[in-house]
Amino acid sequence: MSSMESLAQLEVLCEKLYNSRDSAERAHAESTLKCFSENSDYISQCQYILDNASTPYALMLASTSLVKQVSDRSLSLQLRLDIRNYVMNYLAARGPKLQNFVTISLIQLACRITKFGWFDDDRFREIFKEATDFLALASQDHYLIGLKILNFLVMEMNQANSAMPLTLHRKIATSFKDQFLLQIFQISLTSLHQLKSEVPDELRRVPISLALRCLSFDFVGSPVDESSEEFGTVQLPASWRPLLQDPSTVQIFFDYYKVNDTSVSKEALECLVRLASVRRSLFVEDPARSQFLSHLMSGTREILQTGQGLADHGNYHEFCRLLGRFKVNYQLSELLNVEFYGEWLGLVAEFTTKSLLSWQWASNSVYYLLSLWSRLVTSVPYLKGDTPSLLDETVPKITEGFITSRINSVQASFADNSPDPDNPLENAESLQDQLESLPYLCRFKYESCSLFIINIMEPLLQAYTARSRLPASGDAAELSVIEGQIAWMVHIIAAILKIRQTVGCSQDSQELFDAELAARVLQLINITDTGVHAQRYQEISKQRLDRAILIFVQNFRRSYVGDQAMHASKLYARLSELLGLTDHLVLLNVIVGKIATNLKCYAECEDVIDHTLSLFQELASGYMTGKLLLKLESTKFIIANHSRENFPFLEEYRCVRSRTNFYYILGCLVFMEDGPVKFRSFMEPLLQVAVNLEASADAAFRTDVVKYAFTGLMRDLRGIAMATNSRRTYGLLFDWLYPSRMPLLLRAISLLTDEPEVTTPLLKFMSEFVLNKAQRLTFDSSSPNGILLFREISKLIVAYGSRILLLPNGTNIYRSKYKGIWISLTVLSRALCGNYVNFGVFELYGDRALADALDISLKMTLSIPLSDILTFKKLSKAYYGYMEVLFNNHITINSVLNLDTSTFVHIVTSLESGLKGLDTGISTQVCHYGSLYHLEMFL
């Protein structure tokens, strides 16, 4: 077959690779053509394709294959130089006639070769001169190619590559920045000035994109969070100072913002955002910095006056970011010194108010505006001089506008009472963004703001109270709207109480206003669970409201309950007048009452249960509040009646994970007081469950009722085990569990090895139970408890391991096997390094407990392919942790010394893979002195 016929066949395959809708056809083409990117012998074939192919897809294959070939860094220097020279000549000769995607791929190839050969030969650095040569040619197409080469060169130099060590990447990027980046930025500015006249949009997009890439360069080698829009300060080198002090630099981007092409105007704003973020120290003299700031404010003032381009959402968002950067990088006093500050501030205030009214369209952008205003008001106390900041008039209007917009948003959008992930009341992250700046704005003029909130809150509370007395068959949609509006107000009050700031009024005055706002929410707590509202726990709007109340209680508690109460006499005096809450103990009783109500009534809402338990845990974990909780009747009731009848969520499968947290909290409270009698009384319901399970026949263990009861018991015990943090408390649980309850665990793991929903909670409980945290597993020197505990661990591990190895691999092998194996390894590792067992006793008395446990654990690790160990992170962590313990402390055990060659090679290979892996925790474990040293001894 002739070479032309072969080329024609290849072109057909390339067409299928890039265009076929048949996945099997694409896969076949990819498999056939992958040799071009994997075998260096095909590099000459790629050149042949570039010279002779007639379809762009064949050219694309050749180009992308060469990119992959040069990325593996194994090609000779001369070959890389030849490829580079060939590509640059090819672009000069044929670039204008190529499809855009082929041109870009070839440019990426040239830039990749340049970066990877940067320190190998100075000839690689000639790409900058060659790109400028393209700009000097008369052809507009060549000019565009030259700009694109510079664009992708900056991008390549700024972007880390997995095939290159990070330190080498940083050295190359720094060298490139010092030699060429400023010149490239100057070229982008020159091109922008030259192309201001009537030219195709494509020509405008490339230089503005080039300027943006230059300003976005990582100047100091700090990794940027790509998921965040925030990038801190732009650390431009001092050599850039003259360029930034030139007024035309800023002006050219404002000029390009006025272009009708929205992609150009958006990137122009992005450049301005970065210019507004340039480090302050770049300007040596204050007048230069003031002039730069004045120019930025003048440009934004003009946009605010005309509104040009702000109908486009991308432009609007970037403009809000630009405004938000003013107070990040400049002092309020510097803004005040600008001649037209008053006019600019008024325009920004008007723009903010309009944005708040357009909440549906601008919800993601308002964050930056509110952030600007919050930073402005927090700077007022540090302002010197007599120049008015004009914030007294503008900030209250913005605050009121925000609150009003939140209320209106419920009426407009959320009256359907259905789950909506875009609703901020359902999205904690979005809610945080919207409320983060609000407390500073509210407290700036707190008296008027608190009065405004109360005037909104009072009618809503009256309407909600009135609805509680009406029959449940009333207008549910209207009630959902009321609940949504109250939920927003509660979130707003919670956000205000989270921040205690004394700007604008005294500490005592702030406490009084805090009391006024808090009283409305505390009054609401009694209303939400009475009348018709007590029948609405399944309604989404009711759940949103109760979540808001829980967040309010958390924030209020941190500021005014417990240790902080002694500093809040004014607040409690006012709460006493309004609600009869005389001190923090009375208030705490109301809070725990709400916690108990939620735990009783929200059986099927996991989110509310989790929020409630989070609050309960916060109260129980505080030393002062924990002691106070034990004095309350509501707390005593929960501790004494923690059964499924009183708390139905314990019966719900969807809330099964919450059980552990619930019993951890109760365990913390029970263990605060000395008393085995109280502990045994607390454990009575769990003892009854265990006794019933022990009385069940083996066949009954397969039923859902028994399995659920057992897994629930394991989760409950795990929570209690987590709460034991001393020798005394651990001893109470150990004596309850051993020896009478241990046969139940062994029986369950033996009968239900193939049921991961049963074995996982059991093994996780044991993993917690054997963990010697805070030296809680410290038995008397004459006590055999450590040895007895390890024997029980060995029985469980051997029973599980010997059976799990015989089971066939399921469709989800991680869930059916690997998860149980890694937890078993964790259990054994913790027991082996817990320092509460003298392992020499086992060999001395001929006890096989240790040897059998190590033997079966090694068999479990060997049953897993190394690729799977490295794929699953938790499995990998447990495996290497187990290996470290094994070779540090138990190298002399016969099961280790008698390893056959293949097993030893497998272990050493796994250690090598761990060393090469990206997880520093694992590589550190592998590098640990013990592992490698003892392997050397083993050899």
Side-chain angles (χ1 to χ4, degrees):
M1 185 181 293
S2 69
S3 59
M4 294 308 296
E5 289 176 338
S6 300
L7 181 60
Q9 291 179 350
L10 181 135
E11 289 177 336
V12 171
L13 279 173
C14 292
E15 179 81 23
K16 292 178 180 178
L17 176 64
Y18 290 108
N19 277 349
S20 176
R21 295 183 178 180
D22 186 340
S23 59
E25 198 171 50
R26 285 198 312 273
H28 171 70
E30 182 179 3
S31 175
T32 306
L33 297 172
K34 68 180 181 180
C35 58
F36 287 92
S37 60
E38 294 179 352
N39 192 335
S40 59
D41 294 338
Y42 282 83
I43 290 177
S44 59
Q45 302 289 341
C46 291
Q47 181 179 342
Y48 178 82
I49 295 168
L50 288 169
D51 288 334
N52 296 285
S54 58
T55 68
Y57 301 110
L59 299 177
M60 186 67 177
L61 170 75
S63 178
T64 54
S65 296
L66 286 173
V67 171
K68 293 176 182 176
Q69 290 270 17
V70 301
S71 296
D72 69 6
R73 309 183 68 215
S74 62
L75 304 183
S76 68
L77 173 61
Q78 188 57 50
L79 181 56
R80 285 182 285 142
L81 283 169
D82 291 344
I83 295 172
R84 175 206 169 282
N85 294 335
Y86 171 81
V87 172
M88 296 304 293
N89 292 329
Y90 190 91
L91 286 170
R94 298 179 57 177
K97 300 176 184 178
L98 297 173
Q99 292 274 10
N100 185 53
F101 62 85
V102 178
T103 304
I104 289 174
S105 181
L106 288 168
I107 290 172
Q108 288 175 327
L109 171 59
C111 294
R112 181 67 55 84
I113 295 175
T114 298
K115 181 176 180 179
F116 278 56
W118 191 258
F119 289 131
D120 296 338
D121 195 299
D122 287 344
R123 284 174 287 182
F124 286 107
R125 307 187 188 193
E126 293 176 3
I127 190 171
F128 173 73
K129 179 182 178 302
E130 290 167 330
T132 55
D133 289 342
F134 275 87
L135 300 177
L137 297 175
S139 164
Q140 199 174 76
D141 291 328
H142 281 98
Y143 189 88
L144 194 60
I145 290 173
L147 288 176
K148 286 180 178 178
I149 290 173
L150 294 176
N151 202 328
F152 281 95
L153 181 61
V154 175
M155 182 180 72
E156 181 70 38
M157 291 297 183
N158 195 39
Q159 184 173 302
N161 190 293
S162 59
M164 175 180 286
L166 187 60
T167 52
L168 179 59
H169 158 72
R170 285 307 316 153
K171 288 179 181 178
I172 293 172
T174 302
S175 173
F176 171 77
K177 175 198 70 177
D178 295 340
Q179 279 189 267
F180 298 114
L181 191 60
L182 177 57
Q183 297 177 62
I184 294 173
F185 185 56
Q186 288 173 320
I187 289 172
S188 72
L189 294 177
T190 303
S191 299
L192 288 171
H193 283 289
Q194 291 176 350
L195 300 174
K196 277 181 67 176
S197 56
E198 294 296 324
V199 293
D201 288 339
E202 173 70 12
L203 274 177
R204 285 202 185 101
R205 290 174 193 156
V206 179
I208 197 77
S209 176
L210 176 58
L212 179 59
R213 289 202 191 280
C214 290
L215 291 170
S216 304
F217 200 85
D218 183 7
F219 291 95
V220 293
S222 56
V224 178
D225 181 5
E226 297 292 341
S227 65
S228 171
E229 291 184 323
E230 295 303 321
F231 47 82
T233 303
V234 177
Q235 302 287 343
L236 290 184
S239 57
W240 292 51
R241 183 183 299 119
L243 206 55
L244 262 70
Q245 289 181 347
D246 183 351
S248 65
T249 300
V250 172
Q251 188 58 46
I252 192 65
F253 294 112
F254 279 116
D255 292 342
Y256 266 73
Y257 171 73
K258 300 172 185 176
V259 173
N260 289 330
D261 186 346
T262 54
S263 63
V264 172
S265 57
K266 179 177 179 291
E267 290 202 334
L269 282 175
E270 289 187 65
C271 290
L272 287 166
V273 170
R274 280 155 179 79
L275 288 173
S277 307
V278 169
R279 62 185 176 94
R280 292 170 51 82
S281 56
L282 184 69
F283 303 98
V284 178
E285 300 174 353
D286 287 341
R289 187 186 303 118
S290 299
Q291 184 181 6
F292 187 75
L293 172 62
S294 177
H295 205 151
L296 286 170
M297 290 176 67
S298 175
T300 53
R301 177 183 62 171
E302 183 180 347
I303 295 173
L304 288 166
Q305 288 171 335
T306 62
Q308 182 179 357
L310 296 179
D312 177 75
H313 193 275
N315 285 347
Y316 187 94
H317 185 71
E318 287 303 323
F319 186 67
C320 289
R321 291 182 70 199
L322 175 58
L323 291 177
R325 298 304 297 183
F326 277 99
K327 186 56 191 71
V328 174
N329 222 25
Y330 295 94
Q331 304 295 335
L332 177 57
S333 58
E334 293 175 315
L335 298 175
L336 280 169
N337 289 333
V338 175
E339 182 181 355
F340 48 87
Y341 165 78
E343 181 187 2
W344 180 83
L345 191 75
L347 289 168
V348 175
E350 182 183 351
F351 177 72
T352 304
T353 304
K354 289 180 179 178
S355 298
L356 291 171
L357 293 174
S358 307
W359 57 268
Q360 288 174 303
W361 192 69
S363 59
N364 294 329
S365 308
V366 167
Y367 164 80
Y368 300 102
L369 299 175
L370 294 177
S371 178
L372 167 66
W373 289 104
S374 71
R375 289 189 173 103
L376 288 172
V377 299
T378 52
S379 299
V380 170
Y382 310 103
L383 192 62
K384 298 178 181 179
D386 300 326
T387 307
S389 66
L390 306 179
L391 296 174
D392 292 356
E393 298 82 25
T394 53
V395 170
K397 293 178 183 177
I398 290 167
T399 307
E400 292 173 9
F402 176 81
I403 295 171
T404 303
S405 71
R406 299 304 91 195
I407 295 297
N408 293 340
S409 70
V410 179
Q411 184 71 49
S413 292
F414 306 138
D416 58 352
N417 196 34
S418 59
D420 179 7
D422 295 327
N423 185 344
L425 295 176
E426 300 256 341
N427 187 324
E429 187 176 345
S430 174
L431 190 65
Q432 167 70 15
D433 286 346
Q434 294 201 23
L435 297 178
E436 185 177 348
S437 302
L438 186 66
Y440 305 100
L441 302 180
C442 292
R443 289 189 181 274
F444 183 63
K445 289 294 178 182
Y446 199 16
E447 183 174 4
S448 61
C449 180
S450 60
L451 184 61
F452 179 79
I453 292 173
I454 290 169
N455 288 338
I456 294 177
M457 194 71 170
E458 285 290 352
L460 289 173
L461 287 175
Q462 291 171 9
Y464 196 58
T465 304
R467 288 301 300 263
S468 69
R469 305 189 186 102
L470 297 176
S473 58
D475 188 348
E478 181 187 352
L479 183 54
S480 295
V481 170
I482 293 173
E483 286 176 329
Q485 291 174 333
I486 295 176
W488 262 115
M489 295 308 299
V490 173
H491 276 299
I492 288 169
I493 293 172
I496 294 170
L497 295 181
K498 186 177 181 180
I499 305 294
R500 296 182 69 178
Q501 180 188 351
T502 54
V503 176
C505 61
S506 66
Q507 180 70 36
D508 288 349
S509 298
Q510 294 225 17
E511 280 191 24
L512 291 175
F513 299 140
D514 285 353
E516 292 285 348
L517 296 180
R520 271 66 191 180
V521 184
L522 294 171
Q523 177 186 348
L524 175 67
I525 291 177
N526 294 325
I527 304 172
T528 55
D529 301 311
T530 58
V532 68
H533 304 317
Q535 305 170 33
R536 289 175 46 82
Y537 293 106
Q538 305 305 315
E539 301 296 328
I540 299 295
S541 58
K542 177 71 164 64
Q543 294 169 10
R544 291 171 183 164
L545 177 55
D546 272 329
R547 278 198 300 266
I549 291 173
L550 291 169
I551 292 172
F552 159 79
V553 171
Q554 276 186 313
N555 292 346
F556 185 64
R557 185 209 71 79
R558 290 166 186 167
S559 297
Y560 290 113
V561 178
D563 296 334
Q564 296 81 8
M566 63 184 70
H567 306 297
S569 57
K570 297 285 184 183
L571 177 131
Y572 280 101
R574 186 58 182 151
L575 284 179
S576 179
E577 295 172 9
L578 294 170
L579 301 175
L581 300 175
T582 53
D583 58 31
H584 60 163
L585 190 59
V586 180
L587 176 61
L588 202 58
N589 197 47
V590 173
I591 294 172
V592 177
K594 179 61 179 173
I595 289 172
T597 301
N598 283 0
L599 295 177
K600 287 179 184 178
C601 301
Y602 279 107
E604 298 179 8
C605 184
E606 183 182 0
D607 192 37
V608 175
I609 291 293
D610 286 344
H611 273 80
T612 304
L613 290 175
S614 175
L615 171 60
F616 198 14
Q617 182 177 341
E618 194 172 296
L619 292 171
S621 59
Y623 180 77
M624 173 75 80
T625 51
K627 292 290 186 181
L628 291 174
L629 283 180
L630 293 173
K631 298 179 181 179
L632 304 177
E633 291 301 321
S634 49
T635 306
K636 293 176 182 177
F637 173 82
I638 295 174
I639 293 174
N641 299 276
H642 52 91
S643 62
R644 290 172 290 179
E645 291 74 24
N646 291 300
F647 299 105
F649 82 92
L650 297 172
E651 198 80 53
E652 282 294 324
Y653 182 77
R654 72 185 71 183
C655 296
V656 69
R657 294 180 183 275
S658 302
R659 295 182 66 144
T660 301
N661 198 22
F662 178 61
Y663 276 93
Y664 167 70
I665 297 164
L666 296 187
C668 288
L669 292 171
V670 169
F671 292 139
M672 278 185 183
E673 294 184 340
D674 292 326
V677 176
K678 186 171 184 178
F679 174 76
R680 284 195 292 271
S681 174
F682 167 71
M683 296 295 288
E684 192 60 37
L686 301 184
L687 178 62
Q688 191 58 50
V689 172
V691 169
N692 291 339
L693 287 169
E694 289 165 350
S696 301
D698 288 353
F701 267 74
R702 288 281 174 184
T703 64
D704 290 340
V705 174
V706 173
K707 284 193 293 186
Y708 188 81
F710 181 81
T711 56
L713 177 64
M714 292 299 100
R715 292 180 186 276
D716 301 345
L717 289 175
R718 182 183 171 206
I720 296 169
M722 289 165 60
T724 61
N725 54 12
S726 68
R727 179 180 174 182
R728 175 186 64 84
T729 55
Y730 185 86
L732 292 174
L733 181 59
F734 182 87
D735 291 341
W736 184 89
L737 191 68
Y738 183 87
S740 53
R741 306 279 80 83
M742 293 305 293
L744 173 63
L745 275 58
L746 182 61
R747 183 181 172 204
I749 208 166
S750 301
L751 293 173
L752 301 172
T753 307
D754 60 337
E755 299 278 0
E757 66 269 21
V758 175
T759 57
T760 297
L762 191 162
L763 291 170
K764 282 194 171 184
F765 161 62
M766 289 306 300
S767 177
E768 175 61 36
F769 189 62
V770 303
L771 178 62
N772 191 11
K773 62 182 181 183
Q775 295 300 305
R776 62 182 183 176
L777 272 78
T778 305
F779 301 108
D780 292 332
S781 57
S782 60
S783 171
N785 284 349
I787 296 169
L788 295 174
L789 174 59
F790 188 84
R791 291 182 67 186
E792 297 299 330
I793 296 167
S794 176
K795 291 177 187 176
L796 288 170
I797 298 297
V798 171
Y800 178 76
S802 59
R803 290 168 174 81
I804 199 71
L805 292 174
L806 300 177
L807 295 177
N809 295 335
T811 53
N812 187 345
I813 193 169
Y814 178 80
R815 180 178 178 274
S816 62
K817 277 194 173 184
Y818 293 169
K819 188 171 185 179
I821 290 175
W822 78 252
I823 301 173
S824 299
L825 294 177
T826 302
V827 172
L828 192 56
S829 298
R830 289 179 172 182
L832 290 173
C833 64
N835 206 27
Y836 51 83
V837 185
N838 182 353
F839 291 104
V841 170
F842 294 105
E843 187 175 0
L844 180 64
Y845 290 98
D847 192 325
R848 294 280 307 166
L850 175 60
D852 289 347
L854 291 176
D855 183 57
I856 198 66
S857 60
L858 274 173
K859 287 179 179 177
M860 286 193 287
T861 61
L862 295 172
S863 72
I864 306 174
L866 180 57
S867 58
D868 286 355
I869 291 175
L870 300 174
T871 299
F872 298 104
K873 189 172 182 179
K874 290 183 178 179
L875 174 61
S876 183
K877 185 177 179 181
Y879 171 81
Y880 286 108
Y882 166 74
M883 284 296 168
E884 182 179 12
V885 172
L886 183 66
F887 285 102
N888 260 336
N889 303 328
H890 300 282
I891 194 72
T892 57
I893 302 300
N894 289 335
S895 59
V896 178
L897 287 175
N898 294 332
L899 292 177
D900 57 75
T901 303
S902 61
T903 301
F904 180 71
V905 169
H906 173 86
I907 291 174
V908 174
T909 304
S910 71
L911 294 179
E912 179 189 17
S913 300
L915 278 172
K916 292 180 178 179
L918 298 177
D919 190 317
T920 54
I922 289 174
S923 57
T924 301
Q925 278 182 314
V926 177
C927 288
H928 192 274
Y929 167 80
S931 295
L932 296 182
Y933 173 75
H934 282 108
L935 278 174
E936 185 179 323
M937 294 289 289
F938 188 45
L939 287 168

